[in-house]
Amino acid sequence: MKIGELKSFGHNVADSLASGICFMIGIYDVDIYAEASSSPEGHVVVDFITGSTSGSPVSADLQRALDFYSEALPDLCRKHGIDLSEIKVLSARFGTDSIAGRHFAVTVEASDGRRSIDQYVGTPGRRFSKSRKSGRAA
């Protein structure tokens, strides 16, 4: 799998959640940014493979949506021609601040160690900065 394909897929999944509409899973009316900003942590990190989170606590409704993303991931990968077994990391950190506003950073890592982190702002997510490619993870 090309790392560019995985980066694009990761952006699409994270952007679906960031939009609050979540077309990929058929859930409507979740606001990850409101939940991220409502606690001292100020961010939510989502692992789309497991459906787990860190950072700000999330509501039961948002956790249910994240569980649906995790459950739908194999089918989403298949539809995009991606082998799920080749994905080691597919996560995103969602937050807000007074300068960038709503933003998210998508981290992807292929099973062979190629890794990339891309930052996006707004809805829909537009690239904020060039990706940081670290080649192979240690």
Side-chain angles (χ1 to χ4, degrees):
M1 164 180 39
K2 294 180 180 179
I3 193 70
E5 293 171 348
L6 181 54
K7 288 169 44 172
S8 177
F9 179 71
H11 168 266
N12 290 344
V13 173
D15 198 43
S16 172
L17 177 58
S19 75
I21 300 171
C22 308
F23 283 126
M24 288 186 156
I25 58 167
I27 295 283
Y28 298 90
D29 199 25
V30 294
D31 190 345
I32 194 162
Y33 294 111
E35 296 195 29
S37 66
S38 67
S39 73
E41 291 88 348
H43 68 272
V44 174
V45 178
V46 175
D47 179 332
F48 287 102
I49 296 172
T50 65
S52 63
T53 65
S54 60
S56 299
V58 298
S59 67
D61 285 342
L62 180 55
Q63 184 58 60
R64 185 168 40 98
L66 299 175
D67 291 340
F68 286 143
Y69 272 101
S70 178
E71 292 167 10
L73 198 58
D75 286 336
L76 293 171
C77 285
R78 221 175 349 270
K79 287 178 184 176
H80 287 85
I82 294 174
D83 183 352
L84 180 59
S85 69
E86 292 186 39
I87 302 173
K88 186 174 179 183
V89 175
L90 175 56
S91 65
R93 183 184 190 275
F94 299 87
T96 63
D97 62 50
S98 59
I99 296 171
R102 293 175 168 216
H103 58 274
F104 59 97
V106 178
T107 302
V108 295
E109 183 177 337
S111 58
D112 64 5
R114 291 173 296 153
R115 182 180 183 92
S116 180
I117 301 170
D118 293 284
Q119 298 177 321
Y120 302 91
V121 295
T123 304
R126 300 175 318 277
R127 179 145 311 166
F128 182 69
S129 65
K130 290 188 176 184
S131 62
R132 297 184 315 207
K133 296 179 188 172
S134 62
R136 307 229 183 249

